[in-house]
C-alpha cells in the first residue's frame, strides 16, 4: 500500500455523507480490548453449538443434486421461492395481514434496515430511535446523513409519553417532522425489554397523528422464553405505515445472511427496486430446503430452552455477585441483559480492568447516538457457556466492587 492510499489521496472525491462517517465506527474500539483470557459477555452472537451444521450440509447436497444449475445461476429456483412462502406463512401466524402486505427477502435484517432507509430517507431528514438502541442500526442511519433523535427506553420498552412529548415539542418549535421511528419491540437490543401492548397502540396512534413510518425490528421475536407474546406492531396497524424486518441470524445462523422485510405492497415494491444485487440464491435455496424439511420449527423449542437456561444462569450470577446499588433488566427472551451500575462508575473506563480480571462487556455509551449515561453496560449470555457466564459475572462483580 502506498502512503497516498493509506492516507486517503482521493478523500476529496468522497461524498459528503461518506466523509462524515468514514472514521466513525458504530462499534467503537471495544473489539481490541477483548482478550483470549477474558470471558466475552460482549458478543451478541448466537451459540455456535446450536448451529444446525448437519442439516445444512444435507440441504446443500440435496439442493445441488436437484437444482444445481438453477441455484448457481442468476434468478431463483423453487427452494428459494419456497423460502419466501415460509416467511410469509410465519408472518401470517403473527396475524400480519397479507391483503395489503408483502415480503421481500434480504441479506439479513441489517440489509433490510438499510433498504428501508434508501426508500424513505433524504440527507437532513429526521429519524427517531430508542435510546439506547442497536448500534448496528445507528451505523446504518449515520450513513444516510440524517439527524438521529433519541427517545428513552424504560422497563416496558420505548417510553411513549416521552415520544409524544418529543413530537409535540418539535411541532411547537416548527422543527422538521421525523420520517421514521426505529423500534425493537421484543427483547430489545441492548436492554432486553419488551414494548407493552398498550404502548404499541400508542406508537401507532402517534405515527398517524404525526405522519411517520414505524420501522419495527423483530430480530429476536422468535426467541421468547417466558410469558405471552405481544402482537407485532405490523399486526396491529391498519394505516399501512409499519415496515417490519426479521432475520434468520438468531434462529439458524448469521453467516447465511438472510433476513426479510414485510411491508405494505407499494413500499415493498419500492424496496425491491432499490435493494441492489438481490439476495443470495444459493443460501436462500439451502435455507428454503432446510425449512421445507421442518427443521426450523423443530429447532425453535430447543433454542428457546438453551438460551433461557443461559439467561437464568446470568440472572442468578448477577444476584449472587453484584454489589448493592447495581440493577439489571430481566428479559423474557432474546440475548441481552442491561446493567445500571452505581452512580459515578464509568463503564468505558472500567472495561480494561474488567478484561484483566477476566470478562468483557459492551459499555452502554456505544448504544447512544449522542452522549449516554456512563454507568451502564450490556451483557450478552448467548455466545458463551453457562460456566463461562458464571465466571464472567464473578469477575464483573469483583471489578465493580473494587471501583466502589
Ligand atoms: C436488533 C437487531 N437487529 C438486527 C440485527 C442484525 O441482524 P442481521 O444479522 O440479520 O443483519 C441484530 C444483530 O445483532 C440486532 O440485534
Amino acid at each position: 500500500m502506498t502512503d497516498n492510499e493509506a492516507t486517503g489521496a482521493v478523500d476529496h472525491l468522497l461524498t459528503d455523507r461518506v466523509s462524515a462517517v468514514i472514521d466513525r465506527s458504530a462499534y467503537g474500539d471495544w473489539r481490541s480490548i477483548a482478550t483470549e483470557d477474558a470471558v466475552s459477555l460482549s458478543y451478541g452472537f448466537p451459540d455456535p453449538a446450536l448451529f444446525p451444521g448437519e442439516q445444512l450440509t444435507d440441504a446443500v447436497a440435496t439442493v445441488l443434486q436437484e437444482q444445481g444449475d438453477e441455484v448457481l445461476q442468476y434468478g431463483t429456483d423453487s427452494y428459494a421461492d419456497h423460502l419466501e412462502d415460509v416467511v410469509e406463512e410465519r408472518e401470517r401466524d403473527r396475524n400480519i395481514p397479507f391483503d395489503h402486505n408483502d415480503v421481500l427477502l434480504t441479506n439479513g435484517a441489517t440489509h433490510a434496515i438499510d433498504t428501508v432507509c434508501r426508500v424513505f430517507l433524504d440527507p437532513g431528514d429526521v429519524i427517531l430511535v430508542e435510546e439506547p438502541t442497536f448500534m448496528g442500526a445507528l451505523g446504518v442511519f449515520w450513513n444516510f446523513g440524517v439527524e438521529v433523535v433519541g427517545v428513552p427506553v424504560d422497563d416496558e420498552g420505548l417510553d411513549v409519553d416521552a415520544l409524544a412529548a418529543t413530537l409535540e415539542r418539535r411541532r411547537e418549535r416548527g422543527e422538521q417532522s421525523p420520517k421514521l421511528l426505529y423500534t425493537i419491540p421484543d427483547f430489545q437490543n441492548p436492554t432486553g425489554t419488551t414494548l407493552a401492548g398498550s404502548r404499541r397502540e400508542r406508537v401507532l396512534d402517534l405515527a398517524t397523528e404525526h405522519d411517520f413510518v414505524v420501522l419495527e425490528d423483530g430480530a429476536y421475536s422468535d426467541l421468547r422464553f417466558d410469558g405471552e407474546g405481544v402482537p407485532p406492531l405490523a399486526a396491529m396497524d391498519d394505516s399501512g405505515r409499519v415496515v417490519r424486518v426479521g432475520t434468520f441470524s438468531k434462529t439458524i445462523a448469521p453467516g447465511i445472511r438472510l433476513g426479510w422485510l414485510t411491508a405494505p405492497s407499494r413500499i415493498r415494491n419500492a424496496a425491491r427496486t432499490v435493494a441492489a444485487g438481490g439476495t443470495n440464491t444459493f443460501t436462500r435455496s439451502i435455507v428454503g430446503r432446510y425449512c421445507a424439511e421442518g427443521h426450523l420449527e423443530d429447532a425453535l423449542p430447543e433454542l428457546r430452552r438453551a438460551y433461557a437456561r443461559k439467561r437464568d444462569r446470568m440472572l442468578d450470577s448477577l444476584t449472587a455477585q453484584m454489589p448493592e446499588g447495581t440493577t439489571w433488566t430481566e428479559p423474557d427472551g432474546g440475548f441481552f441483559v442491561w446493567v445500571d451500575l452505581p452512580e459515578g462508575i464509568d463503564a468505558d473506563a472500567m472495561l480494561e480492568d474488567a478484561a484483566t480480571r477476566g470478562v468483557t462487556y459492551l459499555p452502554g455509551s456505544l448504544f447512544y447516538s449522542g452522549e449516554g449515561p456512563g454507568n451502564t453496560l450490556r451483557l450478552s449470555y448467548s455466545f458463551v457457556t453457562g460456566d463461562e457466564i458464571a465466571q464472567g459475572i464473578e469477575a464483573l462483580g469483583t471489578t465493580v466492587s473494587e471501583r466502589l
Side-chain angles (χ1 to χ4, degrees):
M1 193 186 283
T2 66
D3 275 357
N4 269 353
E5 276 165 346
T7 55
V10 292
D11 269 9
H12 59 289
L13 301 178
L14 297 173
T15 64
D16 291 346
R17 269 153 51 169
V18 171
S19 299
V21 298
I22 190 168
D23 294 320
R24 182 176 191 183
S25 161
Y27 290 84
D29 292 330
W30 63 271
R31 279 171 202 272
S32 60
I33 291 194
T35 68
E36 290 241 317
D37 304 329
V39 172
S40 171
L41 302 179
S42 45
Y43 293 129
F45 295 176
D47 183 344
L50 298 169
F51 289 153
E54 225 168 274
Q55 287 119 337
L56 289 175
T57 306
D58 288 347
V60 172
T62 308
V63 162
L64 283 176
Q65 272 157 21
E66 290 182 9
Q67 301 177 350
D69 286 352
E70 294 147 69
V71 299
L72 298 174
Q73 187 53 276
Y74 284 115
T76 62
D77 73 293
S78 61
Y79 283 126
D81 288 343
H82 175 72
L83 188 61
E84 211 158 88
D85 297 339
V86 168
V87 171
E88 184 175 321
E89 188 84 23
R90 303 189 85 248
E91 293 287 76
R92 272 185 205 279
D93 286 347
R94 299 183 214 276
N95 289 325
I96 295 172
F98 275 81
D99 55 336
H100 63 270
N101 282 307
D102 274 314
V103 162
L104 178 72
L105 292 182
T106 60
N107 302 320
T110 310
H111 180 219
I113 293 167
D114 182 82
T115 303
V116 175
C117 291
R118 280 173 201 280
V119 171
F120 287 106
L121 298 179
D122 287 311
D125 280 345
V126 177
I127 173 164
L128 298 167
V129 299
E130 291 164 341
E131 208 169 57
T133 191
F134 169 45
M135 59 202 169
L138 281 178
V140 173
F141 302 143
W142 291 336
N143 291 346
F144 283 83
V146 294
E147 183 188 349
V148 180
V149 175
V151 180
V153 168
D154 64 21
D155 285 347
E156 296 198 316
L158 178 68
D159 179 343
V160 283
D161 288 334
L163 172 65
T166 300
L167 289 163
E168 209 43 58
R169 197 167 48 242
R170 294 188 71 89
R171 182 182 269 174
E172 276 167 23
R173 290 181 186 160
E175 289 170 349
Q176 205 176 336
S177 184
K179 270 197 181 165
L180 280 179
L181 164 71
Y182 172 65
T183 176
I184 310 159
D186 299 328
F187 329 119
Q188 198 233 19
N189 182 1
T191 62
T193 55
T194 293
L195 187 63
S198 57
R199 290 193 179 191
R200 296 183 190 214
E201 281 167 16
R202 182 94 184 277
V203 167
L204 293 172
D205 290 345
L206 289 167
T208 304
E209 186 188 337
H210 291 269
D211 191 25
F212 58 84
V213 171
V214 178
L215 173 50
E216 173 179 33
D217 184 341
Y220 301 93
S221 299
D222 279 322
L223 295 176
R224 172 175 281 281
F225 321 143
D226 304 321
E228 279 287 299
V230 190
L233 289 138
M236 300 166 85
D237 171 57
D238 51 20
S239 67
R241 50 178 73 244
V242 176
V243 179
R244 179 179 161 83
V245 305
T247 179
F248 290 113
S249 286
K250 319 295 170 183
T251 51
I252 301 180
I256 59 174
R257 304 311 304 137
L258 270 177
W260 63 90
L261 62 83
T262 305
S265 307
R266 187 163 166 75
I267 303 308
R268 181 266 189 192
N269 291 343
R272 187 178 51 184
T273 308
V274 298
T279 40
N280 181 327
T281 319
F282 186 59
T283 53
R284 208 171 130 166
S285 306
I286 307 305
V287 174
R289 167 73 191 178
Y290 173 86
C291 292
E293 291 287 283
H295 293 317
L296 177 61
E297 297 309 324
D298 289 348
L300 284 172
E302 178 49 28
L303 290 176
R304 293 183 189 119
R305 276 193 296 273
Y307 288 122
R309 278 196 297 273
K310 290 175 184 235
R311 185 262 331 251
D312 291 345
R313 191 78 187 263
M314 180 168 276
L315 294 180
D316 290 348
S317 304
L318 284 164
T319 305
Q321 303 290 343
M322 296 309 286
E324 216 170 299
T326 310
T327 58
W328 52 88
T329 55
E330 297 191 352
D332 289 328
F335 285 0
F336 309 110
V337 170
W338 183 252
V339 177
D340 273 293
L341 300 169
E343 281 293 325
I345 295 191
D346 181 337
D348 280 275
M350 191 178 76
L351 184 53
E352 215 164 323
D353 265 5
T356 311
R357 290 229 161 250
V359 66
T360 57
Y361 54 80
L362 290 191
S365 58
L366 289 175
F367 301 90
Y368 288 79
S369 176
E371 211 164 308
N375 64 327
T376 57
L377 57 90
R378 188 195 79 176
L379 299 175
S380 174
Y381 46 82
S382 53
F383 181 60
V384 286
T385 64
D387 287 346
E388 286 171 325
I389 291 170
Q391 197 187 321
I393 298 295
E394 189 179 346
L396 183 67
T398 311
T399 314
V400 174
S401 298
E402 266 187 1
R403 293 255 154 177
L404 291 171

